[in-house]
Amino acid sequence: MATTYEFPSDLLAGQEELHQVRAELSALLKRLPWSVEPMDGFSDDNGWRKVERPASPGWTEDEQAQVEKLRRREHELAVFVSTHRFWTEVPAADRMDARTCLKHAREEQAEE
C-alpha cells in the first residue's frame, strides 16, 4: 500500500500552477519558429540522420517577452515547490516518493 501524504493547500496549488505554466510554455514553444533570431533554412545529410529546417523569421519582441515571463514564473514555482517547508516534515528516505505523489496529486484527485 502506497503512503499517502497530507500536502498543504499552498503546495498543491503551487504544483498545479507549475503544471499549467509548463504546459503553456511547451505549447508556446511548439508554435514559435525554431530560431529566436532570423535564420536561413538549411539541409544537412552528412550526419547519422538528415536534418532540415525551413527559414525562420525569428521571434517577435512580444513572443520573446512571453517566453521569458513563463520561464521566470516556472522557475519561481519550481523553487517554491522544491523548498517548501513541508519537505522538512518528510523523512529524507521518503522525500522522493512524496515528491512523486505530489506531481501526480491532480491525477489522483480526478480519479476520485
Side-chain angles (χ1 to χ4, degrees):
M1 183 176 195
T3 305
T4 56
Y5 300 93
E6 293 296 323
F7 298 112
S9 60
D10 64 332
L11 180 57
L12 286 167
Q15 180 65 52
E16 180 59 29
E17 186 179 351
L18 181 57
H19 282 307
Q20 291 170 356
V21 168
R22 285 182 172 160
E24 189 176 339
L25 179 58
S26 178
L28 175 60
L29 292 172
K30 286 178 184 175
R31 288 192 313 268
L32 293 175
W34 64 271
S35 175
V36 176
E37 300 294 326
M39 298 285 267
D40 293 333
F42 67 89
S43 178
D44 181 8
D45 57 1
N46 293 326
W48 62 277
R49 65 183 176 99
K50 186 174 183 174
V51 177
E52 291 184 311
R53 298 272 187 198
S56 172
W59 297 358
T60 66
E61 287 185 18
D62 285 344
E63 290 167 337
Q64 290 180 38
Q66 282 180 302
V67 170
E68 180 60 29
K69 179 182 174 186
L70 288 171
R71 285 183 173 157
R72 188 175 296 118
R73 185 62 181 150
E74 177 187 29
H75 182 262
E76 290 168 358
L77 289 165
V79 169
F80 172 77
V81 169
S82 63
T83 62
H84 194 278
R85 67 188 177 282
F86 171 78
W87 303 117
T88 61
E89 301 167 12
V90 179
D94 297 335
R95 286 185 193 144
M96 188 169 73
D97 179 58
R99 179 72 181 110
T100 301
C101 289
L102 176 64
K103 286 181 180 181
H104 298 283
R106 71 176 171 168
E107 295 165 8
E108 293 172 9
Q109 289 174 348
E111 291 174 0
E112 292 177 353

